[in-house]
Amino acid sequence: MMDNIHANNTVKAIPLKIIAITVLMSCAVSLGALYITWQYWLKPREVVSFDLKGTTNTFLLQSAKLNITAEQQEQLLRLYNDKLNAVLQRRVKQNQEMVIAQPAAIAGIRDITPQIRQELAQAMEQARKAAPEAR
């Protein structure tokens, strides 16, 4: 009778293969969650510099050479300001960057002025092409 009691209360051993698979899956899920957390919440933004003064001075010099009225000049300046802000905001969001003015930059900070100028020129060109269609 004693043998019969021990036979009913015996716990079956879980195969080592199932334990190994469970541990590996748990590690994979944990590493994935850690990577996502790092990329989207904990990763510090890269600090980059932009020559705002030089870019704006270049724009003002180029726009001064145009044969346009004061009102058109003001509209062009507003368009420049809007497009520059849009380019900077898009860049900050897409690249997780913190953009500072070049005079405030310390050695070792990457300068993104050429990229910003290129994106700004493209945005201004697109706005210029869209302007006649709007009229």
Side-chain angles (χ1 to χ4, degrees):
M1 185 158 218
M2 192 66 118
D3 291 333
N4 201 8
I5 293 174
H6 288 289
N8 290 337
N9 290 336
T10 312
V11 178
K12 291 186 178 181
I14 300 174
L16 187 59
K17 185 177 182 181
I18 292 177
I19 293 173
I21 291 172
T22 303
V23 168
L24 287 174
M25 290 299 292
S26 177
C27 288
V29 169
S30 296
L31 286 174
L34 180 64
Y35 175 77
I36 289 170
T37 302
W38 172 257
Q39 283 293 67
Y40 296 102
W41 288 308
L42 301 176
K43 185 178 179 182
R45 292 178 179 254
E46 179 185 7
V47 178
V48 295
S49 69
F50 168 61
D51 184 10
L52 177 62
K53 183 179 179 183
T55 302
T56 301
N57 285 343
T58 301
F59 168 76
L60 292 173
L61 289 173
Q62 290 174 346
S63 64
K65 294 176 183 177
L66 299 175
N67 189 18
I68 56 177
T69 66
E71 183 181 318
Q72 291 171 322
Q73 184 100 16
E74 189 176 310
Q75 288 175 348
L76 187 60
L77 187 57
R78 243 179 304 179
L79 177 66
Y80 167 81
N81 191 40
D82 291 345
K83 294 302 176 184
L84 178 60
N85 284 328
V87 165
L88 289 171
Q89 289 298 322
R90 182 174 54 247
R91 185 143 183 123
V92 165
K93 286 180 184 176
Q94 287 178 350
N95 300 329
Q96 293 188 335
E97 295 171 336
M98 184 182 304
V99 181
I100 64 171
Q102 199 173 46
I106 303 170
I109 294 178
R110 186 168 58 98
D111 181 26
I112 60 166
T113 302
Q115 294 92 334
I116 296 292
R117 285 182 178 179
Q118 181 180 12
E119 291 176 35
L120 180 59
Q122 291 171 349
M124 293 289 286
E125 182 64 23
Q126 289 173 353
R128 187 189 65 78
K129 288 181 180 178
E133 295 173 10
R135 291 179 187 167

